[in-house]
Amino acid sequence: MNNMLDYELTLFDRINVIRDTIKKYGEENFYISFSGGKDSTILHHLIDMAIPENKIPRVFINTGIEYKAIVDFVQSLAENDPRIVMVKPSRPIIKVLEEYGYPFKSKEHSCKLHEWQLGHHAPSIISYRDKERYGCPKILKYQFEEGFNMNISHFCCHKLKKEPAKKWQKENHKSIVITGMMRAEGGQRNTLSCILTNRSGKVIKFHPLAVIDKEWEDEFIQRNNIQLCSLYYPPFNFKRTGCKGCPFALKLQEQLDIMEELLPTEKAQCEIIWKPVYDEYRRIGYRLKKENS
Ligand code: SF4
């Protein structure tokens, strides 16, 4: 970092924000959404630094498409930390995809296309289909035409992540989720606030890392000798983890190439699970190399 004082000030500020927020709303109401990735590992340690001996659960949703190294990492933490909770969705990923549809390109695209396939032709969907900028890319417009029958939807995240998390939250009487989301990740997170309330003004989400950046994170890891999942170290050197081979990944080809070399069994698993999407990506040369190229 350019200025070590900045690091210390940010640390001091974040610790105070965490202490004040958790004290204000009651520790018993919080849980941490724990993915086993870099941000949530930092969050896990930062919360402990702010509130030593806290009993806030760290909830890991094993979607069935997590990297094996991530599951192993979370399991090894759980051996010495009873606050780590592992939750599974009620149905396997393949059944969810077959029943509700496959994610394609992005959440927005999958959602709009799903509505379209149900026969809903709202102005927002037509505008997405027709817009030149920030709309459906030219190469994917054929999906709004007759004859395109692939079942696409945005329900994958909903069924594999949100529903099991909500169910656990309800059963365990927790009202506020703490996440490792950061504004620095860009996109819709640019305007992320630390505290999110619902329409009735009730706090439902707490994002203590919202204002920090990757440089600060790296400094925090180094100073506190924090061990991350093995995927963040050579030979993998992942910058982020998340669901493997997810069709929403912008650098999907790069991800699959790395997996082919270093994690061939997991690459093969992705090819089976995401086959209909990968086939279509390859057929049109979108996000994956065109067939026979
Ligand atoms: S990130 Fe991708 S693979 Fe994971 S649940 Fe969401 S859509 Fe499915």
Side-chain angles (χ1 to χ4, degrees):
M1 282 190 103
N2 291 340
N3 187 345
M4 282 309 137
L5 188 60
D6 284 348
Y7 170 82
E8 298 288 355
L9 287 174
T10 304
L11 180 63
F12 182 74
D13 168 64
R14 290 300 88 192
I15 282 186
N16 279 321
V17 166
I18 292 170
R19 274 186 196 147
D20 292 349
T21 307
I22 293 180
K23 191 170 171 210
K24 185 170 175 189
Y25 299 102
E27 185 186 309
E28 68 284 4
N29 293 313
F30 288 85
Y31 75 97
I32 299 174
S33 170
F34 186 69
S35 70
K38 187 175 176 181
D39 301 342
S40 64
T41 303
I42 285 162
L43 179 67
H44 160 66
H45 288 283
L46 190 60
I47 301 270
D48 278 352
M49 204 179 265
I51 309 172
E53 296 181 24
N54 70 80
K55 294 195 169 47
I56 301 173
R58 281 74 170 144
V59 179
F60 172 74
I61 312 283
N62 188 351
T63 56
I65 193 73
E66 305 299 321
Y67 285 98
K68 185 180 174 299
I70 286 282
V71 178
D72 290 348
F73 174 68
V74 178
Q75 265 165 353
S76 73
L77 286 179
E79 279 166 20
N80 300 311
D81 190 338
R83 299 169 306 174
I84 309 266
V85 182
M86 299 183 81
V87 175
K88 275 190 174 177
S90 56
R91 261 180 302 176
I93 178 166
I94 203 81
K95 292 257 177 272
V96 168
L97 298 174
E98 281 169 3
E99 185 171 342
Y100 295 95
Y102 285 78
F104 202 103
K105 183 196 178 284
S106 63
K107 196 172 167 192
E108 184 187 18
H109 182 82
S110 304
C111 178
K112 296 264 179 3
L113 198 54
H114 173 69
E115 289 295 318
W116 180 266
Q117 289 177 338
L118 289 176
H120 302 155
H121 296 176
S124 61
I125 299 172
I126 298 195
S127 151
Y128 172 75
R129 182 194 64 180
D130 298 342
K131 243 191 321 187
E132 289 295 319
R133 292 186 75 198
Y134 307 119
C136 176
K138 238 183 199 163
I139 193 170
L140 300 183
K141 290 203 194 287
Y142 73 96
Q143 299 189 336
F144 288 89
E145 289 166 12
E146 239 173 80
F148 180 73
N149 297 319
M150 189 177 163
N151 187 10
I152 289 176
S153 86
H154 53 296
F155 286 123
C156 186
C157 272
H158 192 80
K159 295 284 168 190
L160 296 178
K161 287 181 173 175
K162 284 189 189 151
E163 254 184 33
K166 285 270 169 232
K167 186 169 176 276
W168 184 91
Q169 183 174 340
K170 199 171 169 205
E171 286 169 358
N172 291 277
H173 314 290
K174 305 289 177 195
S175 51
I176 309 170
V177 57
I178 313 176
T179 83
M181 285 202 271
M182 294 161 64
R183 284 181 201 155
E185 288 168 276
Q188 289 182 340
R189 295 186 180 175
N190 269 337
T191 52
L192 191 73
S193 57
C194 275
I195 298 275
L196 186 78
T197 54
N198 64 10
R199 281 190 194 142
S200 347
K202 217 170 155 267
V203 175
I204 51 169
K205 287 184 183 176
F206 177 33
H207 309 296
L209 306 188
V211 297
I212 72 159
D213 57 27
K214 295 288 174 190
E215 206 182 356
W216 189 90
E217 265 196 337
D218 291 339
E219 190 68 31
F220 182 80
I221 290 167
Q222 208 189 338
R223 286 184 178 220
N224 297 288
N225 202 15
I226 287 169
Q227 187 66 33
L228 302 173
C229 165
S230 58
L231 293 176
Y232 290 96
Y233 304 103
F236 308 103
N237 296 316
F238 279 26
K239 292 278 174 277
R240 51 184 305 139
T241 47
C243 299
K244 62 188 173 197
C246 173
F248 287 167
L250 295 175
K251 295 186 176 170
L252 184 59
Q253 183 68 62
E254 200 180 301
Q255 197 186 120
L256 293 184
D257 289 346
I258 296 172
M259 284 171 76
E260 183 153 314
E261 193 191 333
L262 302 168
L263 303 163
T265 313
E266 299 197 56
K267 155 93 170 22
Q269 188 194 6
C270 288
E271 292 288 348
I272 294 168
I273 289 176
W274 302 116
K275 185 175 186 327
V277 186
Y278 288 4
D279 283 354
E280 193 64 3
Y281 278 1
R282 288 182 176 122
R283 187 184 71 78
I284 60 173
Y286 179 79
R287 234 167 240 182
L288 293 181
K289 277 181 226 145
K290 210 168 183 165
E291 282 161 348
N292 307 320
S293 69

